[in-house]
Amino acid sequence: MTSTVPASLARTADGSALQAVFLDMDGTLVDTEGFWWDAEVEVFADLGHDLDEAWRDVVVGGPMTRSAGYLIEATGADITLAELTVLLNDRFEARIARGVPMMPGAERLLTELAAHNVPTALVSASHRRIIDRVLASLGRDRFALSVAGDEVSRTKPHPDPYLFAARGLSAEPARCAVIEDTATGVASAEAAGCRVVAVPSVAPIAPADGRIVVGSLEEVNLSFLRTLITRLN
Protein backbone atom coordinates (compact mmCIF):
# COMPACT_ATOMS: atom_id res chain seq x y z
CA MET A 1 0.00 0.00 0.00
CA THR A 2 1.33 3.43 -0.90
CA SER A 3 -0.10 6.51 0.84
CA THR A 4 0.76 10.15 0.19
CA VAL A 5 -1.27 11.87 2.95
CA PRO A 6 -1.54 11.30 6.69
CA ALA A 7 -4.62 9.37 7.74
CA SER A 8 -5.56 12.29 10.01
CA LEU A 9 -6.11 14.44 6.93
CA ALA A 10 -8.17 11.83 5.08
CA ARG A 11 -11.56 13.50 5.38
CA THR A 12 -13.64 15.49 2.96
CA ALA A 13 -13.19 19.19 3.48
CA ASP A 14 -16.91 19.89 3.81
CA GLY A 15 -17.61 17.09 6.30
CA SER A 16 -20.19 15.45 4.01
CA ALA A 17 -21.31 11.85 4.49
CA LEU A 18 -18.98 10.76 1.69
CA GLN A 19 -15.57 10.15 3.28
CA ALA A 20 -13.56 8.73 0.39
CA VAL A 21 -13.76 7.51 -3.20
CA PHE A 22 -12.01 4.32 -4.29
CA LEU A 23 -11.43 3.60 -7.97
CA ASP A 24 -10.38 0.46 -9.79
CA MET A 25 -7.71 0.94 -12.45
CA ASP A 26 -7.93 -1.31 -15.52
CA GLY A 27 -11.16 -0.76 -17.43
CA THR A 28 -12.38 1.84 -14.94
CA LEU A 29 -9.90 4.72 -15.09
CA VAL A 30 -7.72 3.51 -17.95
CA ASP A 31 -8.78 1.66 -21.07
CA THR A 32 -6.45 -1.29 -20.57
CA GLU A 33 -8.63 -4.39 -20.11
CA GLY A 34 -8.05 -5.10 -23.79
CA PHE A 35 -4.31 -4.71 -23.25
CA TRP A 36 -4.35 -7.53 -20.69
CA TRP A 37 -6.22 -9.86 -23.04
CA ASP A 38 -3.87 -9.01 -25.91
CA ALA A 39 -0.90 -9.71 -23.67
CA GLU A 40 -2.39 -13.07 -22.66
CA VAL A 41 -3.11 -13.99 -26.28
CA GLU A 42 0.43 -13.09 -27.36
CA VAL A 43 2.17 -14.89 -24.50
CA PHE A 44 0.17 -18.07 -25.01
CA ALA A 45 0.75 -17.90 -28.77
CA ASP A 46 4.48 -17.88 -28.03
CA LEU A 47 3.86 -20.98 -25.91
CA GLY A 48 2.05 -22.65 -28.81
CA HIS A 49 -1.54 -22.20 -27.63
CA ASP A 50 -4.54 -20.27 -28.94
CA LEU A 51 -6.89 -18.68 -26.43
CA ASP A 52 -10.64 -19.04 -26.83
CA GLU A 53 -12.34 -15.63 -26.93
CA ALA A 54 -14.97 -17.00 -24.53
CA TRP A 55 -12.31 -17.21 -21.83
CA ARG A 56 -11.97 -13.45 -21.86
CA ASP A 57 -15.06 -12.94 -19.71
CA VAL A 58 -13.72 -15.52 -17.23
CA VAL A 59 -10.36 -13.83 -16.63
CA VAL A 60 -11.38 -10.15 -16.83
CA GLY A 61 -10.98 -8.17 -13.63
CA GLY A 62 -9.48 -11.01 -11.67
CA PRO A 63 -6.16 -11.24 -9.85
CA MET A 64 -3.18 -12.51 -11.80
CA THR A 65 -3.10 -15.78 -9.85
CA ARG A 66 -6.67 -16.60 -10.81
CA SER A 67 -6.64 -15.51 -14.45
CA ALA A 68 -3.21 -16.92 -15.25
CA GLY A 69 -3.97 -20.13 -13.37
CA TYR A 70 -7.20 -20.56 -15.28
CA LEU A 71 -5.48 -20.11 -18.64
CA ILE A 72 -2.74 -22.60 -17.77
CA GLU A 73 -5.36 -25.17 -16.85
CA ALA A 74 -7.54 -24.41 -19.89
CA THR A 75 -4.68 -24.67 -22.39
CA GLY A 76 -2.50 -27.25 -20.68
CA ALA A 77 0.51 -24.99 -21.26
CA ASP A 78 3.79 -26.27 -19.84
CA ILE A 79 4.60 -23.27 -17.66
CA THR A 80 4.42 -22.48 -13.96
CA LEU A 81 2.19 -19.77 -12.54
CA ALA A 82 5.25 -17.80 -11.37
CA GLU A 83 6.85 -17.96 -14.82
CA LEU A 84 3.63 -16.93 -16.57
CA THR A 85 3.06 -14.03 -14.19
CA VAL A 86 6.44 -12.55 -15.12
CA LEU A 87 5.78 -12.95 -18.84
CA LEU A 88 2.32 -11.36 -18.65
CA ASN A 89 3.49 -8.41 -16.56
CA ASP A 90 6.42 -7.85 -18.91
CA ARG A 91 4.19 -7.92 -21.99
CA PHE A 92 1.57 -5.66 -20.42
CA GLU A 93 4.16 -3.18 -19.18
CA ALA A 94 5.64 -2.96 -22.66
CA ARG A 95 2.19 -2.08 -24.01
CA ILE A 96 1.39 0.64 -21.48
CA ALA A 97 4.86 2.15 -21.97
CA ARG A 98 3.51 3.39 -25.30
CA GLY A 99 0.74 5.32 -23.54
CA VAL A 100 -2.21 4.73 -21.23
CA PRO A 101 -5.57 5.87 -22.64
CA MET A 102 -8.02 7.12 -20.03
CA MET A 103 -11.66 6.07 -20.00
CA PRO A 104 -14.24 8.69 -21.00
CA GLY A 105 -15.00 10.93 -18.03
CA ALA A 106 -12.03 9.75 -15.95
CA GLU A 107 -9.94 12.89 -16.31
CA ARG A 108 -12.87 15.15 -15.41
CA LEU A 109 -13.87 13.05 -12.38
CA LEU A 110 -10.34 12.90 -10.95
CA THR A 111 -9.95 16.64 -11.41
CA GLU A 112 -13.26 17.30 -9.64
CA LEU A 113 -12.42 15.04 -6.71
CA ALA A 114 -9.03 16.72 -6.27
CA ALA A 115 -10.57 20.20 -6.49
CA HIS A 116 -12.90 19.35 -3.58
CA ASN A 117 -10.19 17.61 -1.53
CA VAL A 118 -12.00 14.28 -1.55
CA PRO A 119 -9.61 11.51 -0.41
CA THR A 120 -9.19 9.19 -3.38
CA ALA A 121 -7.56 5.78 -3.57
CA LEU A 122 -6.59 3.58 -6.49
CA VAL A 123 -7.46 -0.04 -5.66
CA SER A 124 -6.37 -2.61 -8.22
CA ALA A 125 -5.76 -6.33 -8.58
CA SER A 126 -2.73 -5.48 -10.73
CA HIS A 127 0.73 -5.79 -9.22
CA ARG A 128 2.62 -2.81 -7.77
CA ARG A 129 5.03 -2.62 -10.70
CA ILE A 130 2.09 -2.15 -13.07
CA ILE A 131 0.22 0.31 -10.84
CA ASP A 132 3.33 2.49 -10.47
CA ARG A 133 3.74 2.62 -14.22
CA VAL A 134 0.11 3.71 -14.68
CA LEU A 135 0.31 6.21 -11.81
CA ALA A 136 3.18 7.90 -13.60
CA SER A 137 0.71 8.67 -16.41
CA LEU A 138 -2.36 9.43 -14.28
CA GLY A 139 -0.52 11.55 -11.74
CA ARG A 140 0.44 10.18 -8.33
CA ASP A 141 -0.68 13.34 -6.56
CA ARG A 142 -4.29 12.62 -7.52
CA PHE A 143 -4.43 9.66 -5.13
CA ALA A 144 -4.02 9.75 -1.38
CA LEU A 145 -3.33 6.03 -1.41
CA SER A 146 -2.94 3.09 -3.78
CA VAL A 147 -3.40 -0.62 -3.11
CA ALA A 148 -1.95 -3.32 -5.36
CA GLY A 149 -3.08 -6.90 -5.74
CA ASP A 150 0.27 -8.28 -4.59
CA GLU A 151 0.17 -6.22 -1.37
CA VAL A 152 -2.81 -7.93 0.26
CA SER A 153 -3.09 -11.57 1.33
CA ARG A 154 -6.40 -11.93 -0.53
CA THR A 155 -7.21 -9.70 -3.47
CA LYS A 156 -10.48 -9.19 -5.35
CA PRO A 157 -13.17 -10.64 -5.13
CA HIS A 158 -12.33 -10.77 -1.41
CA PRO A 159 -13.05 -7.58 0.57
CA ASP A 160 -9.46 -7.16 1.78
CA PRO A 161 -8.27 -4.52 -0.75
CA TYR A 162 -11.14 -2.15 0.00
CA LEU A 163 -11.01 -2.72 3.74
CA PHE A 164 -7.29 -2.00 3.54
CA ALA A 165 -7.95 1.24 1.66
CA ALA A 166 -10.63 2.33 4.12
CA ARG A 167 -8.31 1.75 7.08
CA GLY A 168 -5.54 3.62 5.30
CA LEU A 169 -7.76 6.68 4.96
CA SER A 170 -9.42 6.33 8.37
CA ALA A 171 -12.78 6.03 6.62
CA GLU A 172 -15.86 3.92 7.28
CA PRO A 173 -16.45 1.50 4.38
CA ALA A 174 -20.17 2.35 4.30
CA ARG A 175 -19.25 5.98 3.69
CA CYS A 176 -16.89 5.18 0.84
CA ALA A 177 -17.97 5.12 -2.81
CA VAL A 178 -16.29 2.57 -5.08
CA ILE A 179 -16.23 2.66 -8.86
CA GLU A 180 -15.60 -0.70 -10.54
CA ASP A 181 -15.95 -2.16 -14.02
CA THR A 182 -16.07 -5.93 -13.36
CA ALA A 183 -18.19 -8.34 -11.35
CA THR A 184 -15.06 -9.42 -9.47
CA GLY A 185 -14.31 -5.88 -8.36
CA VAL A 186 -17.94 -5.18 -7.50
CA ALA A 187 -18.05 -8.30 -5.33
CA SER A 188 -14.93 -7.16 -3.49
CA ALA A 189 -16.26 -3.68 -2.78
CA GLU A 190 -19.69 -4.90 -1.72
CA ALA A 191 -18.19 -7.51 0.59
CA ALA A 192 -16.24 -4.71 2.23
CA GLY A 193 -19.47 -2.80 2.84
CA CYS A 194 -18.79 0.04 0.41
CA ARG A 195 -21.32 1.73 -1.88
CA VAL A 196 -20.69 0.68 -5.46
CA VAL A 197 -21.07 2.30 -8.84
CA ALA A 198 -20.53 -0.27 -11.59
CA VAL A 199 -19.33 0.91 -14.99
CA PRO A 200 -19.16 -2.34 -17.00
CA SER A 201 -16.29 -2.52 -19.50
CA VAL A 202 -16.07 -6.04 -20.97
CA ALA A 203 -18.86 -8.09 -19.35
CA PRO A 204 -22.29 -6.84 -18.19
CA ILE A 205 -23.06 -6.24 -14.52
CA ALA A 206 -26.64 -6.42 -13.25
CA PRO A 207 -28.09 -3.76 -10.93
CA ALA A 208 -28.67 -4.86 -7.33
CA ASP A 209 -29.58 -3.45 -3.94
CA GLY A 210 -26.93 -0.96 -2.91
CA ARG A 211 -25.41 -0.97 -6.40
CA ILE A 212 -25.92 1.43 -9.29
CA VAL A 213 -24.92 0.57 -12.86
CA VAL A 214 -24.06 3.38 -15.29
CA GLY A 215 -22.91 3.45 -18.88
CA SER A 216 -19.69 5.41 -18.37
CA LEU A 217 -17.84 7.72 -16.01
CA GLU A 218 -19.41 10.58 -17.93
CA GLU A 219 -22.49 9.93 -15.78
CA VAL A 220 -20.57 10.14 -12.51
CA ASN A 221 -19.62 13.29 -10.61
CA LEU A 222 -19.08 14.28 -7.00
CA SER A 223 -22.70 15.27 -6.45
CA PHE A 224 -23.80 11.85 -7.76
CA LEU A 225 -21.43 10.05 -5.36
CA ARG A 226 -22.53 12.13 -2.38
CA THR A 227 -26.16 11.36 -3.17
CA LEU A 228 -25.35 7.65 -3.34
CA ILE A 229 -23.98 7.67 0.19
CA THR A 230 -26.81 9.82 1.57
CA ARG A 231 -29.54 7.72 -0.05
CA LEU A 232 -28.22 4.41 1.23
CA ASN A 233 -27.44 5.38 4.80
Side-chain angles (χ1 to χ4, degrees):
M1 176 179 71
T2 298
S3 178
T4 58
V5 299
S8 60
L9 299 181
R11 295 291 180 187
T12 49
D14 62 1
S16 66
L18 177 67
Q19 292 181 346
V21 175
F22 304 149
L23 301 109
D24 173 55
M25 188 176 75
D26 297 300
T28 299
L29 283 180
V30 290
D31 191 7
T32 50
E33 287 290 12
F35 287 12
W36 277 115
W37 179 247
D38 290 343
E40 289 159 349
V41 168
E42 292 171 6
V43 167
F44 274 90
D46 291 344
L47 296 172
H49 298 276
D50 294 328
L51 298 188
D52 190 320
E53 184 71 23
W55 298 340
R56 183 173 183 174
D57 288 352
V58 179
V59 300
V60 67
M64 179 73 73
T65 52
R66 190 197 73 185
S67 57
Y70 174 86
L71 292 175
I72 290 173
E73 183 177 351
T75 60
D78 184 19
I79 189 171
T80 67
L81 181 59
E83 291 169 337
L84 180 57
T85 295
V86 172
L87 292 177
L88 290 175
N89 276 326
D90 286 347
R91 192 67 60 97
F92 182 80
E93 195 167 357
R95 282 184 166 271
I96 62 176
R98 300 193 290 268
V100 183
M102 295 186 73
M103 297 295 286
E107 175 74 29
R108 173 200 49 76
L109 179 60
L110 289 176
T111 299
E112 182 182 15
L113 294 173
H116 289 83
N117 298 314
V118 178
T120 305
L122 186 69
V123 182
S124 175
S126 291
H127 289 185
R128 171 55 58 186
R129 60 177 284 196
I130 300 299
I131 288 182
D132 284 345
R133 172 75 74 165
V134 174
L135 281 173
S137 296
L138 290 178
R140 294 178 184 276
D141 58 342
R142 287 174 149 171
F143 302 93
L145 177 150
S146 61
V147 180
D150 56 344
E151 294 174 338
V152 290
S153 57
R154 300 186 307 171
T155 189
K156 304 173 186 179
H158 298 286
D160 304 41
Y162 285 109
L163 292 175
F164 201 46
R167 285 196 300 272
L169 294 182
S170 297
E172 303 169 41
R175 294 188 180 278
C176 297
V178 172
I179 304 176
E180 275 279 2
D181 73 304
T182 67
T184 298
V186 166
S188 174
E190 290 180 344
C194 301
R195 305 309 187 190
V196 180
V197 179
V199 190
S201 60
V202 176
I205 299 173
D209 289 342
R211 177 196 311 164
I212 292 179
V213 181
V214 299
S216 80
L217 288 180
E218 297 283 12
E219 301 176 43
V220 181
N221 57 27
L222 180 53
S223 176
F224 175 92
L225 295 174
R226 284 174 172 159
T227 301
L228 178 69
I229 299 298
T230 301
R231 180 168 62 244
L232 295 177
N233 275 281

